[in-house]
PDB file of all heavy atoms in Angstrom:
ATOM      1  N   ALA A  79     -49.683  19.305  86.714  1.00 91.00           N
ATOM      2  CA  ALA A  79     -49.425  17.903  86.359  1.00 91.00           C
ATOM      3  C   ALA A  79     -48.877  17.153  87.567  1.00 91.00           C
ATOM      4  O   ALA A  79     -49.274  16.009  87.843  1.00 91.00           O
ATOM      5  CB  ALA A  79     -48.457  17.828  85.189  1.00 91.00           C
ATOM      6  N   ALA A  80     -47.978  17.793  88.322  1.00 87.00           N
ATOM      7  CA  ALA A  80     -47.413  17.156  89.512  1.00 87.00           C
ATOM      8  C   ALA A  80     -48.502  16.893  90.550  1.00 87.00           C
ATOM      9  O   ALA A  80     -48.560  15.819  91.164  1.00 87.00           O
ATOM     10  CB  ALA A  80     -46.306  18.030  90.098  1.00 87.00           C
ATOM     11  N   ILE A  81     -49.375  17.883  90.729  1.00 89.00           N
ATOM     12  CA  ILE A  81     -50.477  17.708  91.686  1.00 89.00           C
ATOM     13  C   ILE A  81     -51.388  16.575  91.236  1.00 89.00           C
ATOM     14  O   ILE A  81     -51.793  15.726  92.038  1.00 89.00           O
ATOM     15  CB  ILE A  81     -51.264  19.039  91.837  1.00 89.00           C
ATOM     16  CG1 ILE A  81     -50.402  20.066  92.574  1.00 89.00           C
ATOM     17  CG2 ILE A  81     -52.593  18.818  92.556  1.00 89.00           C
ATOM     18  CD1 ILE A  81     -50.971  21.477  92.558  1.00 89.00           C
ATOM     19  N   ALA A  82     -51.704  16.520  89.957  1.00 92.00           N
ATOM     20  CA  ALA A  82     -52.565  15.455  89.429  1.00 92.00           C
ATOM     21  C   ALA A  82     -51.907  14.091  89.609  1.00 92.00           C
ATOM     22  O   ALA A  82     -52.568  13.126  90.018  1.00 92.00           O
ATOM     23  CB  ALA A  82     -52.870  15.717  87.960  1.00 92.00           C
ATOM     24  N   LEU A  83     -50.598  14.000  89.323  1.00 90.00           N
ATOM     25  CA  LEU A  83     -49.887  12.727  89.492  1.00 90.00           C
ATOM     26  C   LEU A  83     -49.858  12.305  90.965  1.00 90.00           C
ATOM     27  O   LEU A  83     -50.080  11.133  91.301  1.00 90.00           O
ATOM     28  CB  LEU A  83     -48.455  12.832  88.954  1.00 90.00           C
ATOM     29  CG  LEU A  83     -48.317  12.854  87.437  1.00 90.00           C
ATOM     30  CD1 LEU A  83     -46.872  13.189  87.044  1.00 90.00           C
ATOM     31  CD2 LEU A  83     -48.724  11.518  86.846  1.00 90.00           C
ATOM     32  N   GLU A  84     -49.595  13.254  91.843  1.00 88.00           N
ATOM     33  CA  GLU A  84     -49.555  12.939  93.280  1.00 88.00           C
ATOM     34  C   GLU A  84     -50.937  12.523  93.772  1.00 88.00           C
ATOM     35  O   GLU A  84     -51.059  11.574  94.542  1.00 88.00           O
ATOM     36  CB  GLU A  84     -49.034  14.150  94.074  1.00 88.00           C
ATOM     37  CG  GLU A  84     -48.802  13.881  95.531  1.00 88.00           C
ATOM     38  CD  GLU A  84     -47.702  12.856  95.818  1.00 88.00           C
ATOM     39  OE1 GLU A  84     -46.928  12.477  94.928  1.00 88.00           O
ATOM     40  OE2 GLU A  84     -47.635  12.414  96.991  1.00 88.00           O
ATOM     41  N   ASN A  85     -51.972  13.218  93.327  1.00 93.00           N
ATOM     42  CA  ASN A  85     -53.334  12.833  93.709  1.00 93.00           C
ATOM     43  C   ASN A  85     -53.673  11.431  93.202  1.00 93.00           C
ATOM     44  O   ASN A  85     -54.307  10.648  93.911  1.00 93.00           O
ATOM     45  CB  ASN A  85     -54.351  13.851  93.178  1.00 93.00           C
ATOM     46  CG  ASN A  85     -54.367  15.130  93.985  1.00 93.00           C
ATOM     47  OD1 ASN A  85     -53.866  15.173  95.104  1.00 93.00           O
ATOM     48  ND2 ASN A  85     -54.936  16.184  93.411  1.00 93.00           N
ATOM     49  N   ALA A  86     -53.260  11.129  91.998  1.00 93.00           N
ATOM     50  CA  ALA A  86     -53.505   9.797  91.434  1.00 93.00           C
ATOM     51  C   ALA A  86     -52.792   8.734  92.269  1.00 93.00           C
ATOM     52  O   ALA A  86     -53.354   7.673  92.559  1.00 93.00           O
ATOM     53  CB  ALA A  86     -53.055   9.741  89.982  1.00 93.00           C
ATOM     54  N   ARG A  87     -51.531   9.038  92.648  1.00 90.00           N
ATOM     55  CA  ARG A  87     -50.786   8.092  93.482  1.00 90.00           C
ATOM     56  C   ARG A  87     -51.467   7.896  94.822  1.00 90.00           C
ATOM     57  O   ARG A  87     -51.648   6.764  95.304  1.00 90.00           O
ATOM     58  CB  ARG A  87     -49.347   8.580  93.688  1.00 90.00           C
ATOM     59  CG  ARG A  87     -48.469   7.557  94.442  1.00 90.00           C
ATOM     60  CD  ARG A  87     -47.145   8.151  94.880  1.00 90.00           C
ATOM     61  NE  ARG A  87     -47.298   9.244  95.824  1.00 90.00           N
ATOM     62  CZ  ARG A  87     -47.557   9.091  97.138  1.00 90.00           C
ATOM     63  NH1 ARG A  87     -47.735   7.893  97.633  1.00 90.00           N
ATOM     64  NH2 ARG A  87     -47.656  10.138  97.918  1.00 90.00           N
ATOM     65  N   LEU A  88     -51.871   8.998  95.463  1.00 93.00           N
ATOM     66  CA  LEU A  88     -52.548   8.923  96.752  1.00 93.00           C
ATOM     67  C   LEU A  88     -53.873   8.171  96.644  1.00 93.00           C
ATOM     68  O   LEU A  88     -54.218   7.366  97.503  1.00 93.00           O
ATOM     69  CB  LEU A  88     -52.781  10.330  97.325  1.00 93.00           C
ATOM     70  CG  LEU A  88     -51.531  11.079  97.790  1.00 93.00           C
ATOM     71  CD1 LEU A  88     -51.883  12.517  98.137  1.00 93.00           C
ATOM     72  CD2 LEU A  88     -50.878  10.385  98.974  1.00 93.00           C
ATOM     73  N   PHE A  89     -54.620   8.434  95.575  1.00 94.00           N
ATOM     74  CA  PHE A  89     -55.882   7.749  95.350  1.00 94.00           C
ATOM     75  C   PHE A  89     -55.652   6.242  95.191  1.00 94.00           C
ATOM     76  O   PHE A  89     -56.387   5.422  95.745  1.00 94.00           O
ATOM     77  CB  PHE A  89     -56.578   8.326  94.116  1.00 94.00           C
ATOM     78  CG  PHE A  89     -57.942   7.762  93.878  1.00 94.00           C
ATOM     79  CD1 PHE A  89     -59.021   8.162  94.655  1.00 94.00           C
ATOM     80  CD2 PHE A  89     -58.152   6.814  92.877  1.00 94.00           C
ATOM     81  CE1 PHE A  89     -60.285   7.630  94.440  1.00 94.00           C
ATOM     82  CE2 PHE A  89     -59.406   6.285  92.666  1.00 94.00           C
ATOM     83  CZ  PHE A  89     -60.483   6.694  93.438  1.00 94.00           C
ATOM     84  N   ASN A  90     -54.624   5.877  94.456  1.00 94.00           N
ATOM     85  CA  ASN A  90     -54.281   4.469  94.273  1.00 94.00           C
ATOM     86  C   ASN A  90     -53.901   3.837  95.610  1.00 94.00           C
ATOM     87  O   ASN A  90     -54.341   2.732  95.939  1.00 94.00           O
ATOM     88  CB  ASN A  90     -53.143   4.335  93.255  1.00 94.00           C
ATOM     89  CG  ASN A  90     -52.855   2.886  92.932  1.00 94.00           C
ATOM     90  OD1 ASN A  90     -53.759   2.083  92.782  1.00 94.00           O
ATOM     91  ND2 ASN A  90     -51.577   2.554  92.841  1.00 94.00           N
ATOM     92  N   ASP A  91     -53.059   4.542  96.390  1.00 94.00           N
ATOM     93  CA  ASP A  91     -52.660   4.036  97.709  1.00 94.00           C
ATOM     94  C   ASP A  91     -53.875   3.850  98.621  1.00 94.00           C
ATOM     95  O   ASP A  91     -53.984   2.855  99.341  1.00 94.00           O
ATOM     96  CB  ASP A  91     -51.660   4.983  98.377  1.00 94.00           C
ATOM     97  CG  ASP A  91     -50.296   4.985  97.697  1.00 94.00           C
ATOM     98  OD1 ASP A  91     -50.068   4.122  96.821  1.00 94.00           O
ATOM     99  OD2 ASP A  91     -49.466   5.854  98.053  1.00 94.00           O
ATOM    100  N   LEU A  92     -54.778   4.826  98.574  1.00 95.00           N
ATOM    101  CA  LEU A  92     -55.985   4.751  99.384  1.00 95.00           C
ATOM    102  C   LEU A  92     -56.839   3.549  98.975  1.00 95.00           C
ATOM    103  O   LEU A  92     -57.361   2.827  99.825  1.00 95.00           O
ATOM    104  CB  LEU A  92     -56.794   6.046  99.244  1.00 95.00           C
ATOM    105  CG  LEU A  92     -58.063   6.147 100.073  1.00 95.00           C
ATOM    106  CD1 LEU A  92     -57.753   6.083 101.559  1.00 95.00           C
ATOM    107  CD2 LEU A  92     -58.807   7.429  99.737  1.00 95.00           C
ATOM    108  N   GLY A  93     -56.950   3.326  97.687  1.00 94.00           N
ATOM    109  CA  GLY A  93     -57.702   2.172  97.197  1.00 94.00           C
ATOM    110  C   GLY A  93     -57.113   0.862  97.698  1.00 94.00           C
ATOM    111  O   GLY A  93     -57.838  -0.046  98.100  1.00 94.00           O
ATOM    112  N   GLN A  94     -55.773   0.773  97.672  1.00 95.00           N
ATOM    113  CA  GLN A  94     -55.116  -0.435  98.170  1.00 95.00           C
ATOM    114  C   GLN A  94     -55.333  -0.599  99.674  1.00 95.00           C
ATOM    115  O   GLN A  94     -55.590  -1.704 100.153  1.00 95.00           O
ATOM    116  CB  GLN A  94     -53.621  -0.387  97.851  1.00 95.00           C
ATOM    117  CG  GLN A  94     -53.311  -0.577  96.393  1.00 95.00           C
ATOM    118  CD  GLN A  94     -51.822  -0.444  96.086  1.00 95.00           C
ATOM    119  OE1 GLN A  94     -51.033  -0.059  96.933  1.00 95.00           O
ATOM    120  NE2 GLN A  94     -51.455  -0.754  94.852  1.00 95.00           N
ATOM    121  N   GLU A  95     -55.258   0.511 100.408  1.00 96.00           N
ATOM    122  CA  GLU A  95     -55.463   0.453 101.857  1.00 96.00           C
ATOM    123  C   GLU A  95     -56.895   0.021 102.177  1.00 96.00           C
ATOM    124  O   GLU A  95     -57.111  -0.796 103.068  1.00 96.00           O
ATOM    125  CB  GLU A  95     -55.174   1.817 102.486  1.00 96.00           C
ATOM    126  CG  GLU A  95     -55.230   1.790 104.001  1.00 96.00           C
ATOM    127  CD  GLU A  95     -54.850   3.117 104.630  1.00 96.00           C
ATOM    128  OE1 GLU A  95     -53.986   3.827 104.080  1.00 96.00           O
ATOM    129  OE2 GLU A  95     -55.427   3.431 105.684  1.00 96.00           O
ATOM    130  N   ILE A  96     -57.855   0.557 101.427  1.00 96.00           N
ATOM    131  CA  ILE A  96     -59.251   0.164 101.638  1.00 96.00           C
ATOM    132  C   ILE A  96     -59.429  -1.322 101.355  1.00 96.00           C
ATOM    133  O   ILE A  96     -60.093  -2.035 102.116  1.00 96.00           O
ATOM    134  CB  ILE A  96     -60.192   1.028 100.774  1.00 96.00           C
ATOM    135  CG1 ILE A  96     -60.238   2.459 101.320  1.00 96.00           C
ATOM    136  CG2 ILE A  96     -61.589   0.419 100.704  1.00 96.00           C
ATOM    137  CD1 ILE A  96     -60.961   3.446 100.422  1.00 96.00           C
ATOM    138  N   SER A  97     -58.818  -1.809 100.291  1.00 96.00           N
ATOM    139  CA  SER A  97     -58.908  -3.239  99.955  1.00 96.00           C
ATOM    140  C   SER A  97     -58.302  -4.095 101.060  1.00 96.00           C
ATOM    141  O   SER A  97     -58.869  -5.124 101.445  1.00 96.00           O
ATOM    142  CB  SER A  97     -58.198  -3.527  98.641  1.00 96.00           C
ATOM    143  OG  SER A  97     -58.857  -2.883  97.574  1.00 96.00           O
ATOM    144  N   GLU A  98     -57.151  -3.679 101.565  1.00 96.00           N
ATOM    145  CA  GLU A  98     -56.505  -4.425 102.653  1.00 96.00           C
ATOM    146  C   GLU A  98     -57.369  -4.425 103.905  1.00 96.00           C
ATOM    147  O   GLU A  98     -57.501  -5.447 104.590  1.00 96.00           O
ATOM    148  CB  GLU A  98     -55.128  -3.828 102.952  1.00 96.00           C
ATOM    149  CG  GLU A  98     -54.103  -4.089 101.864  1.00 96.00           C
ATOM    150  CD  GLU A  98     -52.793  -3.320 102.078  1.00 96.00           C
ATOM    151  OE1 GLU A  98     -52.590  -2.743 103.167  1.00 96.00           O
ATOM    152  OE2 GLU A  98     -51.986  -3.293 101.140  1.00 96.00           O
ATOM    153  N   ARG A  99     -57.961  -3.286 104.218  1.00 96.00           N
ATOM    154  CA  ARG A  99     -58.840  -3.212 105.395  1.00 96.00           C
ATOM    155  C   ARG A  99     -60.061  -4.109 105.221  1.00 96.00           C
ATOM    156  O   ARG A  99     -60.491  -4.762 106.167  1.00 96.00           O
ATOM    157  CB  ARG A  99     -59.280  -1.777 105.648  1.00 96.00           C
ATOM    158  CG  ARG A  99     -58.214  -0.954 106.296  1.00 96.00           C
ATOM    159  CD  ARG A  99     -58.724   0.410 106.675  1.00 96.00           C
ATOM    160  NE  ARG A  99     -57.641   1.185 107.247  1.00 96.00           N
ATOM    161  CZ  ARG A  99     -57.814   2.096 108.162  1.00 96.00           C
ATOM    162  NH1 ARG A  99     -59.010   2.360 108.611  1.00 96.00           N
ATOM    163  NH2 ARG A  99     -56.789   2.758 108.632  1.00 96.00           N
ATOM    164  N   LYS A 100     -60.627  -4.117 104.023  1.00 96.00           N
ATOM    165  CA  LYS A 100     -61.784  -4.978 103.774  1.00 96.00           C
ATOM    166  C   LYS A 100     -61.414  -6.443 103.949  1.00 96.00           C
ATOM    167  O   LYS A 100     -62.177  -7.221 104.515  1.00 96.00           O
ATOM    168  CB  LYS A 100     -62.354  -4.720 102.379  1.00 96.00           C
ATOM    169  CG  LYS A 100     -63.168  -3.448 102.294  1.00 96.00           C
ATOM    170  CD  LYS A 100     -63.783  -3.266 100.912  1.00 96.00           C
ATOM    171  CE  LYS A 100     -64.614  -2.007 100.852  1.00 96.00           C
ATOM    172  NZ  LYS A 100     -65.211  -1.789  99.532  1.00 96.00           N
ATOM    173  N   ARG A 101     -60.234  -6.813 103.449  1.00 96.00           N
ATOM    174  CA  ARG A 101     -59.778  -8.200 103.628  1.00 96.00           C
ATOM    175  C   ARG A 101     -59.588  -8.510 105.103  1.00 96.00           C
ATOM    176  O   ARG A 101     -59.999  -9.577 105.578  1.00 96.00           O
ATOM    177  CB  ARG A 101     -58.469  -8.435 102.868  1.00 96.00           C
ATOM    178  CG  ARG A 101     -58.656  -8.731 101.394  1.00 96.00           C
ATOM    179  CD  ARG A 101     -57.375  -9.233 100.745  1.00 96.00           C
ATOM    180  NE  ARG A 101     -56.299  -8.247 100.749  1.00 96.00           N
ATOM    181  CZ  ARG A 101     -56.114  -7.324  99.826  1.00 96.00           C
ATOM    182  NH1 ARG A 101     -56.935  -7.254  98.807  1.00 96.00           N
ATOM    183  NH2 ARG A 101     -55.112  -6.471  99.908  1.00 96.00           N
ATOM    184  N   ALA A 102     -58.986  -7.577 105.844  1.00 96.00           N
ATOM    185  CA  ALA A 102     -58.771  -7.779 107.286  1.00 96.00           C
ATOM    186  C   ALA A 102     -60.108  -7.877 108.014  1.00 96.00           C
ATOM    187  O   ALA A 102     -60.281  -8.740 108.886  1.00 96.00           O
ATOM    188  CB  ALA A 102     -57.922  -6.647 107.858  1.00 96.00           C
ATOM    189  N   GLU A 103     -61.062  -7.019 107.666  1.00 96.00           N
ATOM    190  CA  GLU A 103     -62.383  -7.065 108.284  1.00 96.00           C
ATOM    191  C   GLU A 103     -63.073  -8.389 107.993  1.00 96.00           C
ATOM    192  O   GLU A 103     -63.726  -8.962 108.862  1.00 96.00           O
ATOM    193  CB  GLU A 103     -63.252  -5.904 107.785  1.00 96.00           C
ATOM    194  CG  GLU A 103     -62.886  -4.563 108.379  1.00 96.00           C
ATOM    195  CD  GLU A 103     -63.684  -3.410 107.777  1.00 96.00           C
ATOM    196  OE1 GLU A 103     -64.689  -3.656 107.058  1.00 96.00           O
ATOM    197  OE2 GLU A 103     -63.306  -2.258 108.035  1.00 96.00           O
ATOM    198  N   GLN A 104     -62.927  -8.872 106.773  1.00 96.00           N
ATOM    199  CA  GLN A 104     -63.546 -10.151 106.420  1.00 96.00           C
ATOM    200  C   GLN A 104     -62.913 -11.293 107.218  1.00 96.00           C
ATOM    201  O   GLN A 104     -63.613 -12.190 107.677  1.00 96.00           O
ATOM    202  CB  GLN A 104     -63.416 -10.412 104.909  1.00 96.00           C
ATOM    203  CG  GLN A 104     -64.147 -11.654 104.448  1.00 96.00           C
ATOM    204  CD  GLN A 104     -65.629 -11.636 104.755  1.00 96.00           C
ATOM    205  OE1 GLN A 104     -66.298 -10.642 104.591  1.00 96.00           O
ATOM    206  NE2 GLN A 104     -66.141 -12.751 105.238  1.00 96.00           N
ATOM    207  N   LEU A 105     -61.583 -11.249 107.376  1.00 96.00           N
ATOM    208  CA  LEU A 105     -60.916 -12.272 108.181  1.00 96.00           C
ATOM    209  C   LEU A 105     -61.407 -12.231 109.621  1.00 96.00           C
ATOM    210  O   LEU A 105     -61.666 -13.275 110.240  1.00 96.00           O
ATOM    211  CB  LEU A 105     -59.397 -12.077 108.138  1.00 96.00           C
ATOM    212  CG  LEU A 105     -58.693 -12.475 106.848  1.00 96.00           C
ATOM    213  CD1 LEU A 105     -57.220 -12.066 106.885  1.00 96.00           C
ATOM    214  CD2 LEU A 105     -58.806 -13.983 106.626  1.00 96.00           C
ATOM    215  N   ILE A 106     -61.533 -11.031 110.168  1.00 96.00           N
ATOM    216  CA  ILE A 106     -62.013 -10.884 111.543  1.00 96.00           C
ATOM    217  C   ILE A 106     -63.448 -11.388 111.654  1.00 96.00           C
ATOM    218  O   ILE A 106     -63.799 -12.105 112.598  1.00 96.00           O
ATOM    219  CB  ILE A 106     -61.899  -9.412 112.005  1.00 96.00           C
ATOM    220  CG1 ILE A 106     -60.429  -9.037 112.186  1.00 96.00           C
ATOM    221  CG2 ILE A 106     -62.672  -9.176 113.289  1.00 96.00           C
ATOM    222  CD1 ILE A 106     -60.193  -7.548 112.386  1.00 96.00           C
ATOM    223  N   LYS A 107     -64.287 -11.030 110.684  1.00 95.00           N
ATOM    224  CA  LYS A 107     -65.687 -11.460 110.684  1.00 95.00           C
ATOM    225  C   LYS A 107     -65.777 -12.985 110.614  1.00 95.00           C
ATOM    226  O   LYS A 107     -66.537 -13.606 111.358  1.00 95.00           O
ATOM    227  CB  LYS A 107     -66.420 -10.820 109.507  1.00 95.00           C
ATOM    228  CG  LYS A 107     -67.893 -11.123 109.475  1.00 95.00           C
ATOM    229  CD  LYS A 107     -68.555 -10.434 108.288  1.00 95.00           C
ATOM    230  CE  LYS A 107     -70.019 -10.812 108.201  1.00 95.00           C
ATOM    231  NZ  LYS A 107     -70.661 -10.274 107.011  1.00 95.00           N
ATOM    232  N   THR A 108     -64.984 -13.583 109.733  1.00 94.00           N
ATOM    233  CA  THR A 108     -64.985 -15.042 109.604  1.00 94.00           C
ATOM    234  C   THR A 108     -64.521 -15.698 110.895  1.00 94.00           C
ATOM    235  O   THR A 108     -65.123 -16.672 111.364  1.00 94.00           O
ATOM    236  CB  THR A 108     -64.074 -15.472 108.429  1.00 94.00           C
ATOM    237  OG1 THR A 108     -64.556 -14.862 107.234  1.00 94.00           O
ATOM    238  CG2 THR A 108     -64.048 -16.972 108.274  1.00 94.00           C
ATOM    239  N   SER A 109     -63.472 -15.147 111.487  1.00 95.00           N
ATOM    240  CA  SER A 109     -62.963 -15.683 112.745  1.00 95.00           C
ATOM    241  C   SER A 109     -64.007 -15.573 113.850  1.00 95.00           C
ATOM    242  O   SER A 109     -64.201 -16.510 114.633  1.00 95.00           O
ATOM    243  CB  SER A 109     -61.691 -14.930 113.143  1.00 95.00           C
ATOM    244  OG  SER A 109     -61.215 -15.367 114.386  1.00 95.00           O
ATOM    245  N   LEU A 110     -64.687 -14.438 113.907  1.00 91.00           N
ATOM    246  CA  LEU A 110     -65.727 -14.242 114.912  1.00 91.00           C
ATOM    247  C   LEU A 110     -66.866 -15.236 114.713  1.00 91.00           C
ATOM    248  O   LEU A 110     -67.365 -15.823 115.690  1.00 91.00           O
ATOM    249  CB  LEU A 110     -66.250 -12.807 114.859  1.00 91.00           C
ATOM    250  CG  LEU A 110     -67.313 -12.424 115.876  1.00 91.00           C
ATOM    251  CD1 LEU A 110     -66.781 -12.592 117.291  1.00 91.00           C
ATOM    252  CD2 LEU A 110     -67.761 -10.987 115.648  1.00 91.00           C
ATOM    253  N   GLU A 111     -67.266 -15.443 113.477  1.00 91.00           N
ATOM    254  CA  GLU A 111     -68.338 -16.407 113.194  1.00 91.00           C
ATOM    255  C   GLU A 111     -67.922 -17.816 113.617  1.00 91.00           C
ATOM    256  O   GLU A 111     -68.724 -18.564 114.196  1.00 91.00           O
ATOM    257  CB  GLU A 111     -68.700 -16.378 111.708  1.00 91.00           C
ATOM    258  CG  GLU A 111     -69.450 -15.131 111.291  1.00 91.00           C
ATOM    259  CD  GLU A 111     -69.585 -14.983 109.780  1.00 91.00           C
ATOM    260  OE1 GLU A 111     -69.006 -15.805 109.020  1.00 91.00           O
ATOM    261  OE2 GLU A 111     -70.265 -14.026 109.354  1.00 91.00           O
ATOM    262  N   GLU A 112     -66.671 -18.178 113.358  1.00 93.00           N
ATOM    263  CA  GLU A 112     -66.174 -19.492 113.768  1.00 93.00           C
ATOM    264  C   GLU A 112     -66.186 -19.618 115.288  1.00 93.00           C
ATOM    265  O   GLU A 112     -66.588 -20.655 115.829  1.00 93.00           O
ATOM    266  CB  GLU A 112     -64.756 -19.710 113.241  1.00 93.00           C
ATOM    267  CG  GLU A 112     -64.679 -19.916 111.742  1.00 93.00           C
ATOM    268  CD  GLU A 112     -63.248 -19.918 111.215  1.00 93.00           C
ATOM    269  OE1 GLU A 112     -62.304 -19.691 112.004  1.00 93.00           O
ATOM    270  OE2 GLU A 112     -63.074 -20.142 110.008  1.00 93.00           O
ATOM    271  N   LYS A 113     -65.772 -18.560 115.967  1.00 89.00           N
ATOM    272  CA  LYS A 113     -65.758 -18.590 117.437  1.00 89.00           C
ATOM    273  C   LYS A 113     -67.169 -18.673 117.991  1.00 89.00           C
ATOM    274  O   LYS A 113     -67.400 -19.362 118.989  1.00 89.00           O
ATOM    275  CB  LYS A 113     -65.024 -17.373 117.979  1.00 89.00           C
ATOM    276  CG  LYS A 113     -63.537 -17.498 117.789  1.00 89.00           C
ATOM    277  CD  LYS A 113     -62.777 -16.323 118.322  1.00 89.00           C
ATOM    278  CE  LYS A 113     -61.300 -16.630 118.120  1.00 89.00           C
ATOM    279  NZ  LYS A 113     -60.469 -15.566 117.920  1.00 89.00           N
ATOM    280  N   GLU A 114     -68.118 -17.993 117.358  1.00 85.00           N
ATOM    281  CA  GLU A 114     -69.511 -18.073 117.807  1.00 85.00           C
ATOM    282  C   GLU A 114     -70.058 -19.485 117.643  1.00 85.00           C
ATOM    283  O   GLU A 114     -70.766 -19.989 118.510  1.00 85.00           O
ATOM    284  CB  GLU A 114     -70.372 -17.058 117.062  1.00 85.00           C
ATOM    285  CG  GLU A 114     -70.142 -15.628 117.510  1.00 85.00           C
ATOM    286  CD  GLU A 114     -70.883 -14.592 116.669  1.00 85.00           C
ATOM    287  OE1 GLU A 114     -71.487 -14.966 115.633  1.00 85.00           O
ATOM    288  OE2 GLU A 114     -70.848 -13.420 117.055  1.00 85.00           O
TER     289      GLU A 114
END
């Protein structure tokens, strides 16, 4: 149960990190397009 809970927490954290990276990538892409 502890392993499952920890994996769930890590999976959730990873999902949030991926979302943040996607937002950052989109900001960079938008900025690059504006500069172009």
Side-chain angles (χ1 to χ4, degrees):
I81 290 170
L83 286 171
E84 187 64 12
N85 284 343
R87 186 191 63 78
L88 290 172
F89 185 76
N90 186 41
D91 290 351
L92 182 62
Q94 288 177 352
E95 186 176 326
I96 289 171
S97 295
E98 289 172 11
R99 283 186 182 211
K100 283 183 179 179
R101 278 192 296 273
E103 285 175 12
Q104 185 58 42
L105 286 173
I106 290 169
K107 184 179 176 185
T108 301
S109 177
L110 182 60
E111 288 169 355
E112 289 171 356
K113 286 180 177 150
E114 286 174 353

